[in-house]
Amino acid sequence: MRRLLRGMFRLLFGDPSDEGSEIVIGEVLNLIFLTLAWLMLWPLGRTALLIRLAWGYAVLWLVILITYALINRIQRFFRVDADSHFDAYVLSNLSHSIFLLAGWSAFAALAVRDSVGVAPAWVAVILYVVGFLSSYVAFIVLSSFYIGSIYKLLNLTVALVSFVVFAVWPAAGRVLYGWFFGLF
């Protein structure tokens, strides 16, 4: 899917290798996921979960843009880059992306848990699959900012494993990220 979007982007706007095009591709994939999730959740009467996920993605994009810009400023101030201080550069980027992905997974797991209620088991399975896939989409969104393979490998693992952990143990998600969810 990403390759198809990159090809379409190349036809419309030129070379998709720059960071801006990766962000546009991330936005498009995010919208495609929300559309497909709507098609799955609407017949089940669970559009409230979709609205909550859409609002969550809006907040996620805003938080990513602000914190990414802030981290870049801090890295430039301390002259930390991939050439001179590779370890500090990669660790600061990884800590940022891992924190955000774990936060998204906690949000998604708690949103799904709230939406399940007393639903039949097959509906609960579909809702948890949507939540799990939303963590994958959050990984894609963050991968449009951090495009290195080390980021992608660790971030994918964190996004998917943390969703499972927070789905099984929702109290941990509330303890770690509840303060932030309370803001919205």
Side-chain angles (χ1 to χ4, degrees):
M1 181 62 119
R2 189 179 201 113
R3 188 174 293 168
L4 174 68
L5 286 174
R6 189 171 287 145
M8 289 174 34
F9 193 88
R10 181 177 290 137
L11 286 174
L12 294 174
F13 302 110
D15 185 26
S17 62
D18 64 335
E19 188 175 291
S21 65
E22 289 290 327
I23 293 171
V24 170
I25 290 170
E27 291 171 348
V28 169
L29 288 173
N30 195 182
L31 292 174
I32 289 171
F33 169 75
L34 287 173
T35 303
L36 293 175
W38 176 74
L39 291 173
M40 289 176 67
L41 298 176
W42 176 59
L44 300 175
R46 305 294 180 175
T47 54
L49 175 61
L50 178 71
I51 292 168
R52 195 165 172 192
L53 288 175
W55 176 250
Y57 278 123
V59 171
L60 178 67
W61 275 99
L62 182 65
V63 168
I64 289 172
L65 289 170
I66 291 170
T67 57
Y68 182 78
L70 180 65
I71 286 174
N72 278 336
R73 293 272 184 196
I74 291 170
Q75 287 172 339
R76 273 192 248 139
F77 178 77
F78 288 110
R79 296 184 181 154
V80 174
D81 58 22
D83 295 327
S84 61
H85 299 289
F86 179 76
D87 53 348
Y89 180 77
V90 170
L91 286 176
S92 63
N93 291 340
L94 272 175
S95 62
H96 174 244
S97 59
I98 286 172
F99 180 76
L100 291 178
L101 284 173
W104 175 265
S105 294
F107 167 76
L110 293 172
V112 168
R113 183 177 176 87
D114 292 344
S115 180
V116 167
V118 292
W122 66 274
V123 172
V125 168
I126 291 173
L127 295 177
Y128 276 104
V129 166
V130 168
F132 185 78
L133 292 175
S134 77
S135 290
Y136 178 73
V137 171
F139 155 74
I140 290 173
V141 167
L142 212 54
S143 292
S144 63
F145 290 87
Y146 297 113
I147 56 176
S149 59
I150 185 81
Y151 302 122
K152 289 185 180 186
L153 176 67
L154 290 173
N155 287 341
L156 179 61
T157 304
V158 166
L160 300 180
V161 169
S162 63
F163 178 81
V164 172
V165 168
F166 293 135
V168 172
W169 192 22
R174 279 194 177 82
V175 167
L176 293 173
Y177 292 97
W179 60 271
F180 184 75
F181 303 151
L183 298 176
F184 299 96

